Amino acid sequence: MKRMDRHCNIVLWTVMLFFYIPIAVLVVNSFNQSRFSGAWEGFTFKWYAMLFEDRDLWQALLNTLKVAFGSTAVSVVLGTTAALALHRWKGRIQTFHYGLIYTHLVLPDILMGISLLLFFIAIGLDQSLFTVFLAHTTFCLSYVAMAVLGRLQDFDSNLLEAARDLGANTWTAFWRVQFPLLLPGIVAGGLLAFTLSIDDFVITFFVSGPGSDTLPVKIYGMIKRSPRLPMINALST
């Protein structure tokens, strides 16, 4: 048993070092005078000074938060109602509905980005922050629906019947009985959607327009311009 515990500790620390040594290197290089972080050339705060003076970068961060909060709120509502419909009703339509929800989970991001771009062009919708919001809502609601569906699998429908026997109508039974029990799944889905929205690059790269870049797209542009490369270390720190 002690030998197994020792092996588990070795694996644990190996994984932790694998995850956090690159982050530690990034933090150290954020104070490096060198422009390319290849060698240590002295301690400096200039990359942080440049970071806080870059208005375009903070605008990208604001765009990211707007899209993330907006798409999360809408996807939580749509994803939860989709999960309730899939759980309550069965049939060919719901099978097709489930296929639509599940497809977004397995579809490559680049294919989804191209498809959404072609769709927006076909309907004459200009690329802007609104198209980014629509795109993020499209793929985020699938994750919310799956998280809530997982919670519904353990839900006891007899609780709703008991609530109705005690005089509660359909809405009261849902809000007072079912919703509190589903809330952990809804919160988990919302957090997952928020994280995916903030992190997304590929889909956003296709559907964003002038002035609607999010932070991942902005960072990609900074990587291509080497004089601003160390600012990414400061931003990440």
Side-chain angles (χ1 to χ4, degrees):
M1 182 63 70
K2 291 183 178 179
R3 182 179 298 177
M4 184 178 295
D5 291 341
R6 191 181 304 115
H7 289 166
C8 289
N9 287 332
I10 292 174
V11 172
L12 172 64
W13 284 107
T14 302
V15 173
M16 295 290 284
L17 290 174
F18 179 79
F19 279 141
Y20 290 106
I21 283 181
I23 297 177
V25 172
L26 181 145
V27 174
V28 171
N29 279 321
S30 70
F31 301 100
N32 189 358
Q33 184 78 25
S34 174
R35 193 175 71 179
F36 299 103
S37 303
W40 182 263
E41 296 182 1
F43 188 88
T44 182
F45 283 108
K46 71 176 183 178
W47 308 124
Y48 287 91
M50 292 175 61
L51 174 66
F52 287 105
E53 292 173 358
D54 193 327
R55 293 185 178 181
D56 292 339
L57 191 62
W58 294 109
Q59 182 60 46
L61 175 61
L62 182 61
N63 290 341
T64 302
L65 294 177
K66 286 180 180 179
V67 172
F69 280 111
S71 61
T72 298
V74 176
S75 62
V76 163
V77 175
L78 295 179
T80 302
T81 53
L84 290 170
L86 290 171
H87 178 75
R88 182 172 181 180
W89 292 287
K90 306 297 180 183
R92 293 182 178 179
I93 294 179
Q94 291 303 325
T95 301
F96 178 71
H97 182 198
Y98 180 82
L100 290 177
I101 295 293
Y102 188 76
T103 299
H104 292 298
L105 303 179
V106 298
L107 200 66
D109 285 349
I110 188 169
L111 181 58
M112 188 171 178
I114 294 173
S115 301
L116 287 170
L117 174 61
L118 294 176
F119 172 73
F120 293 145
I121 292 175
I123 64 175
L125 189 61
D126 294 332
Q127 294 167 264
S128 63
L129 201 62
F130 181 64
T131 57
V132 177
F133 160 76
L134 292 178
H136 283 217
T137 303
T138 301
F139 68 81
C140 283
L141 71 88
S142 296
Y143 290 92
V144 176
M146 289 300 171
V148 178
L149 270 176
R151 189 70 179 176
L152 282 168
Q153 290 178 353
D154 299 327
F155 180 75
D156 187 2
S157 300
N158 292 327
L159 295 175
L160 292 177
E161 295 180 6
R164 294 191 187 99
D165 289 340
L166 294 173
N169 57 31
T170 302
W171 282 105
T172 303
F174 172 76
W175 287 111
R176 298 291 296 274
V177 178
Q178 190 173 27
F179 180 76
L181 294 175
L182 295 181
L183 190 58
I186 296 173
V187 172
L191 290 174
L192 183 60
F194 184 79
T195 304
L196 290 169
S197 177
I198 284 184
D199 184 60
D200 181 74
F201 166 75
V202 177
I203 297 175
T204 306
F205 181 79
F206 282 98
V207 300
S208 61
S212 61
D213 287 342
T214 60
L215 199 56
V217 176
K218 187 68 176 179
I219 291 175
Y220 174 76
M222 292 170 65
I223 292 175
K224 297 172 65 176
R225 294 188 290 272
S226 57
R228 306 179 67 191
L229 185 60
M231 287 177 57
I232 300 176
N233 295 330
L235 174 64
S236 301
T237 300

